[in-house]
């Protein structure tokens, strides 16, 4: 059963979402010029061995602007030093202390959307267009603003600038094509140029705030970054800005996807939704299963440092590999009935947050935001369902799985 994707039009290249098996566990994509790894044990092996499989794919990117301080693309020992520094800012206590703020924000955002609906209802009553009133758009009303406000507050940049971040980040991830190393199309080139241009707006913006923190320190993460020392040396301006950039982007788009995907999964599986509503201890496991079933980051890049064999394929040194986490998360060798959405899986060792030294630093925060927001949504809305007349729209990128808009009806079916 693959109900979410039977109902809605997801990216055509994400065949795993339709319950289809990969062509092989490991394949070389001629047209693209890199390898794809779809199997679970093969993915785990790659992520566990940074010596053989480097995270520094910058040699395949014509521009080096964002390399310095970009944690996910660093290898040991530099990676270890920077990671240690950031881990101090994301201790379990720092994250746990955010719970009341996340709950308040969720309620405030939903109150604001409710106030807009009340105004719409008055207008609808006036114009006798009643059907328009009882609906929400989950992404705009909650799933986008919640995580972006949380990460902006942590960093110390004004969350009221979030419309700017959205514009820049949407512009950076707007291509629906898989990029090719052998035949970059004109469209790909344009998309790459546009992505760099948009990311530069963001780094310029963060650079101004970082410079301000050097002059006037505050109690925020940006100040910690400008004051931090690695081996007795301060981080360079570029490293601070690139790192803050990763946090700002990784800190919200993924959690936006997680919230939308979880609501979509529950909508497609009303039996599960009924059980979760009745027993909220099931919420954390539901979030984990949503991460497995609709993994927000579908694929991660690695580069081989030596000739190596993976899943029976010989991969020469210097080759790029895309580790397709989302497909590995449906490998029947690891997950029984992988195409069934089942929050009862225990254990559920999905790879949605990666594995090994680069395991997502924000996973505890994302899980907390997911748990708090889903509970409040279920409390406040006894009925939440997708609208057959206004389907969700998905993000265009083949490497992301999430909704860009998710209209929901709030009345009984
Ligand atoms: C559902 C939400 C999220 C998902 C699915 C997700 C997914 C991932 C994945 C797959 C990686 C591994 C990258 C690799 O191995 O190449 C990663 C790393 C990372 N994530 Fe997340 N992430 C989420 C939320 C967050 C949040 C909320 C933050 C920040 C507050 C964050 C910050 C990071 C950072 C800084 C790294 C790099 C860690 C390193 O290289 O050592 N992520 N994330």
């Amino acid at each position: 059963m693959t109900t979410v994707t039977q109902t809605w039009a997801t990216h055509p290249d994400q065949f795993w979402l339709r319950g289809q098996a990969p062509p092989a566990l490991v394949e070389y994509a001629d047209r693209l010029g890199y390898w794809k790894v779809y199997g679970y044990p093969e993915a785990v092996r790659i992520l566990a061995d940074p010596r053989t499989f480097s995270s520094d794919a910058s040699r395949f990117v014509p521009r080096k602007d964002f390399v310095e301080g970009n944690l996910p693309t660093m290898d040991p020992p530099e990676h270890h030093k920077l990671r240690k520094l950031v881990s101090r800012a994301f201790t379990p206590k720092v994250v746990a202390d955010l719970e009341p703020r996340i709950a308040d924000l969720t309620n405030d955002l939903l109150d604001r959307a409710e106030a807009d609906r009340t105004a719409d209802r008055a207008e609808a009553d006036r114009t006798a267009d009643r059907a328009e009133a009882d609906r929400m758009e989950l992404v705009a009303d909650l799933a986008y603003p919640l995580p972006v406000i949380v990460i902006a507050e942590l960093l110390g940049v004004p969350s009221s600038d979030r419309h700017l971040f959205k514009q820049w980040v949407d512009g950076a991830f707007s291509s629906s094509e898989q990029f090719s190393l052998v035949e970059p199309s004109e469209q790909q080139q344009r998309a790459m140029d546009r992505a760099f241009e948009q990311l530069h707006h963001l780094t310029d913006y963060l650079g101004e705030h970082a410079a301000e923190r050097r002059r006037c320190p505050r109690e925020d993460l940006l100040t910690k970054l400008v004051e931090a020392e690695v081996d007795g040396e301060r981080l360079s301006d570029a490293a601070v800005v690139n790192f803050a950039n990763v946090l700002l982007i990784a800190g919200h788009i993924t959690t936006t996807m997680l919230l939308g995907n979880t609501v979509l999964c529950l909508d497609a599986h009303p039996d599960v939704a009924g059980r979760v509503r009745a027993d909220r201890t099931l919420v954390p496991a539901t979030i984990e299963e949503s991460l497995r079933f609709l993994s927000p980051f579908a694929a991660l890049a690695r580069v081989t440092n030596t000739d190596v064999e993976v899943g029976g394929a010989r991969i020469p040194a210097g080759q790029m590999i895309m580790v397709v986490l989302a497909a590995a998360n449906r490998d029947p060798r690891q997950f029984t009935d992988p195409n069934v959405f089942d929050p009862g899986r225990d254990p559920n060792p999905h790879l949605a947050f990666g594995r090994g030294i680069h395991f997502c630093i924000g996973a505890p925060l994302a899980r907390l935001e997911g748990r708090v927001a889903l509970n409040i949504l279920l409390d406040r809305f006894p009925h939440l369902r997708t609208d057959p007349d206004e389907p969700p729209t998905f993000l265009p990128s083949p490497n992301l799985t999430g909704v860009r808009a998710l209209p929901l009806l709030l009345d009984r079916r």
Side-chain angles (χ1 to χ4, degrees), residues 71-72 79 83 151 250-251 254 297 300 302 352-354 357-358 360 362 366:
L71 191 69
H79 171 266
R83 168 111 187 180
I151 193 70
T254 45
F297 266 148
L300 301 175
R302 293 292 188 267
F353 288 121
I357 63 166
H358 291 280
C360 177

Side-chain angles (χ1 to χ4, degrees), residues 8 92 119 131 138 169 186-187 209 225 233 276 283 286 336 347 371:
W8 312 116
L138 186 81
V169 174
E186 236 176 75
Q187 198 187 349
H209 282 277
L225 289 176
E233 275 182 41
V276 176
V283 164
T286 304
T336 312
R371 172 169 64 75

Side-chain angles (χ1 to χ4, degrees), residues 47 55 70-74 79 83 86 90 147 151 154 221 243 246-259 287 291 295-302 325 351-367 369:
L47 300 180
S55 287
N70 190 331
L71 191 69
T73 63
M74 288 165 82
H79 171 266
R83 168 111 187 180
V86 196
F90 278 99
I151 193 70
L154 270 176
L221 192 50
F243 184 58
V246 167
L247 278 179
L248 186 59
I249 296 177
H252 77 279
I253 58 166
T254 45
T255 311
T256 302
M257 293 189 257
L258 168 63
L259 288 173
I287 287 166
L291 284 161
S295 309
F297 266 148
L300 301 175
R302 293 292 188 267
L325 303 177
L351 301 176
F353 288 121
R355 217 15 116 74
I357 63 166
H358 291 280
F359 181 81
C360 177
I361 247 175
L365 176 59
R367 285 174 164 142
E369 289 173 337

